[in-house]
Amino acid sequence: MENNASDRSRVIFGNPQPERVCRRAQRSRDGYARRFGDDSAVSYPVRLEHNPQLGPLLGVKNVVVGAGLQDTPAEFDREKGIIVGNIRMGFGHYRIAMAMASCAHALGFQPYWMDLNSYPQTTATKVISAQNDLYSLGSRLSRKSSLFNRLVWEPLNYEGFKKLSYNAADQKNAELMAPVFRNIPRDIPLIATHVWPAQAALHAGMQYVVNAIPDNWPMALHLAEGSLHTVQTHAAYQGYRVLSGMDGKRVLRPMPEHALACTGHYVDDEIVSNIASDCAARTSRKMSGAPLRFLLSIGGAGAQREIFAAVLKHLRPAIGGGKAAVFVNLGDYPAVWDYLCREVPGLGGAARTHFNDWEDTRSFCREALEGTVEGVHVFSHENIFEAVYTTNLLMRCCDVLVTKPSELSFYPVPKLFIPRIGGHEQWGAIHSAEIGDGTLECRDIPHVLQMVDLLLHEDTILMDFLENIVKNQISGIYDGAYWAVRLAMGMRQTGGETA
């Protein structure tokens, strides 16, 4: 198996790394190898399976990798096939992957879903799961302890992940993830919605790799040299092009022009293609005095529940008076519902729950697009695809999405931003406020509730959001996932000059 990891770790876009950084990166890789093993000599069979949740909606097939599978080579569509490489780390990277699969399907291609965190026999999944557990713990601790957040979590997310030295370690660790690609055809284009699948694919010799960068704050964490990097904003493009601040004040050699592209926001076809009608429905509801629909989306770490409890408690009079309705997606964290019921007296008896019933969830969302909705509706699904995609379905029939400024910052729905988790997220809210489809980050509960009242009792802010979303669509701001797919498929025609 081809392995250029040493070069990618030691020299990043022409910028040599100090020997101490290279030694630390090697120690990181060796530590994971001792802990989880090194399966670089293993040839894992590959199988394609129908995805029962996303298959009917997006035409997705799962790429299954692991020992014990039938050793017959999987029959990939070598002409129209495109792999969406991702990991389950919170919900954000899964949601972006769904957007890529959706747009690939809409453009007539065959999307294959390859989750490197779903192969428990492999070293790749063991390494990713260990790091995912650490990140989830940090996210939760950052909400519980302001001291931990200020001294550890914010600096790590804002500056630690920004450094080229961090990328060097990731590149070495990704060597351990490459074996899952051994029996994947190397000429099938791949879009990675997390950097590790991009790095692992390149170490394994995959020829046409697009690395879809999720954040609006340039960080070396997201670099996968040899891939075509895509970003969602022009500010991110400038920051990545010059590797801004990735080695203190040092002026670095820039990324080559052909290694970077600004595509616009990564959004699903079914959301983008219905922007005009969905915004018209929101305008009609607001003008007619129908209940304003708030969607509260719990993140993949299950954090920030105290903020959602405060919003629900604050909205109770408006809900009872027919002025507001609330959708709550708990994702795959149903225990959060017990907490909310304890914190908001009477909530449990007044809400309708939609738990682990995918057909009921889909039916509710279809009817809500044109019908009336009252009260509180709570959703939770054990299946990860259903847990994440429920927010996508509810987005179309809500009026305001209440969320931290993460990957949801880039979706074409009016957004109320609650406090971030990690300093890098603030730039999603800044971008959204500047293009006029979301609020500034409301950094504490009183300011969150102030914005709730403005959206509920006045017209100006919400109507401005809706007008701007329609204008943004006309200018192509939300077409990023289509362009990422086109670029990935086009690399094969151009010979993949970035590889």
Side-chain angles (χ1 to χ4, degrees):
M1 179 177 297
E2 178 182 343
N3 193 328
N4 295 321
S6 178
D7 292 338
R8 292 195 175 101
S9 180
R10 289 183 171 274
V11 181
I12 302 171
F13 289 111
N15 297 284
Q17 296 305 292
E19 188 59 33
R20 68 178 184 281
V21 169
C22 299
R23 288 196 301 268
R24 187 163 63 243
Q26 186 66 48
R27 286 197 299 270
S28 177
R29 180 205 183 282
D30 292 346
Y32 279 119
R34 285 192 299 271
R35 183 177 174 188
F36 299 119
D38 184 346
D39 55 2
S40 58
V42 179
S43 179
Y44 291 110
V46 175
R47 183 176 68 214
L48 298 178
E49 290 183 349
H50 175 71
N51 185 305
Q53 291 78 33
L54 298 183
L57 298 171
L58 311 178
V60 170
K61 293 182 180 180
N62 292 338
V63 179
V64 183
V65 176
L69 300 176
Q70 186 176 358
D71 209 14
T72 303
E75 295 185 1
F76 288 87
D77 186 330
R78 304 294 284 272
E79 179 183 354
K80 295 186 177 181
I82 182 169
I83 295 173
V84 182
N86 58 82
I87 65 170
R88 164 72 199 278
M89 183 174 249
F91 288 171
H93 301 286
Y94 249 44
R95 195 183 314 283
I96 296 171
M98 289 177 180
M100 298 300 180
S102 170
C103 290
H105 181 61
L107 291 171
F109 301 115
Q110 171 60 61
Y112 298 111
W113 188 273
M114 190 172 181
D115 176 3
L116 271 63
N117 202 16
S118 66
Y119 311 136
Q121 297 171 329
T122 70
T123 300
T125 290
K126 294 172 184 176
V127 172
I128 292 169
S129 295
Q131 296 191 68
N132 187 23
D133 290 343
L134 285 174
Y135 192 87
S136 295
L137 175 62
S139 294
R140 291 192 296 272
L141 289 176
S142 73
R143 299 310 308 166
K144 294 179 180 179
S145 169
S146 59
L147 186 64
F148 175 84
N149 187 61
R150 178 167 56 86
L151 297 181
V152 179
W153 198 242
E154 282 270 342
L156 176 63
N157 278 271
Y158 201 59
E159 295 296 341
F161 292 160
K162 191 176 184 67
K163 297 177 180 178
L164 286 181
S165 57
Y166 193 94
N167 181 257
D170 261 6
Q171 285 283 13
K172 292 301 292 182
N173 293 336
E175 289 184 50
L176 298 172
M177 305 174 194
V180 298
F181 286 96
R182 180 183 294 274
N183 292 313
I184 304 293
R186 295 187 179 185
D187 63 344
I188 291 185
L190 178 143
I191 299 178
T193 60
H194 187 284
V195 71
W196 294 337
Q199 292 170 344
L202 291 165
H203 292 326
M206 296 293 287
Q207 297 174 13
Y208 312 117
V209 179
V210 166
N211 175 28
I213 294 175
D215 295 315
N216 199 32
W217 173 245
M219 295 188 288
L221 162 72
H222 294 304
L223 298 176
E225 187 170 2
S227 68
L228 171 60
H229 300 69
T230 62
V231 293
Q232 300 183 83
T233 74
H234 294 288
Y237 179 90
Q238 292 184 41
Y240 276 102
R241 185 69 199 283
V242 300
L243 303 177
S244 176
M246 295 185 187
D247 192 0
K249 295 182 179 180
R250 179 184 168 201
V251 177
L252 298 170
R253 290 189 62 177
M255 291 178 66
E257 183 179 1
H258 65 258
L260 185 65
C262 180
T263 59
H265 300 186
Y266 312 136
V267 184
D268 314 64
D269 169 73
E270 55 272 23
I271 295 177
V272 175
S273 61
N274 288 290
I275 285 176
S277 59
D278 291 346
C279 284
R282 294 178 183 118
T283 300
S284 177
R285 286 193 292 266
K286 185 64 172 174
M287 293 297 94
S288 67
L292 190 68
R293 303 172 178 184
F294 291 88
L295 167 57
L296 280 55
S297 179
I298 306 292
Q304 298 180 300
R305 58 186 187 174
E306 73 283 355
I307 300 174
F308 291 114
V311 171
L312 285 164
K313 189 179 297 184
H314 186 74
L315 281 173
R316 283 215 62 191
I319 296 168
K323 300 297 184 183
V326 180
F327 309 144
V328 183
N329 183 21
L330 305 171
D332 56 356
Y333 289 86
V336 175
W337 181 235
D338 296 330
Y339 168 85
L340 293 175
C341 289
R342 290 195 302 269
E343 293 296 311
V344 186
L347 179 62
R352 176 185 166 189
T353 57
H354 308 257
F355 287 6
N356 294 313
D357 190 335
W358 186 227
E359 289 307 314
D360 172 62
T361 294
R362 292 177 63 188
S363 176
F364 173 86
C365 293
R366 285 193 300 268
E367 294 172 4
L369 284 173
E370 297 182 0
T372 59
V373 176
E374 297 179 348
V376 179
H377 296 264
V378 187
F379 302 83
S380 180
H381 296 85
E382 292 178 3
N383 180 276
I384 180 60
F385 296 104
E386 296 171 359
V388 176
Y389 202 74
T390 292
T391 291
N392 289 34
L393 295 174
L394 291 169
M395 261 193 280
R396 288 198 53 206
C397 51
C398 80
D399 297 319
V400 178
L401 169 62
V402 181
T403 178
K404 67 187 182 76
S406 57
E407 84 289 346
L408 287 170
S409 304
F410 301 94
Y411 278 73
V413 58
K415 296 170 289 285
L416 192 170
F417 292 117
I418 62 177
R420 63 184 183 265
I421 298 180
H424 62 295
E425 290 187 343
Q426 66 179 302
W427 294 94
I430 291 170
H431 172 71
S432 177
E434 288 180 336
I435 66 170
D437 66 2
T439 71
L440 294 167
E441 180 187 357
C442 300
R443 296 189 176 182
D444 54 39
I445 288 176
H447 285 94
V448 171
L449 300 183
Q450 178 192 47
M451 189 57 68
V452 166
D453 286 340
L454 286 173
L455 292 165
L456 183 62
H457 300 300
E458 297 183 6
D459 298 339
T460 307
I461 294 178
L462 182 61
M463 296 304 294
D464 185 57
F465 288 167
L466 295 173
E467 291 174 4
N468 290 329
I469 290 171
V470 174
K471 292 176 183 176
N472 292 341
Q473 183 194 21
I474 294 171
S475 65
I477 284 178
Y478 305 119
D479 290 347
Y482 298 111
W483 281 110
V485 171
R486 292 187 183 107
L487 288 168
M489 298 303 292
M491 288 175 76
R492 188 158 48 189
Q493 278 68 50
T494 61
E497 62 177 7
T498 64

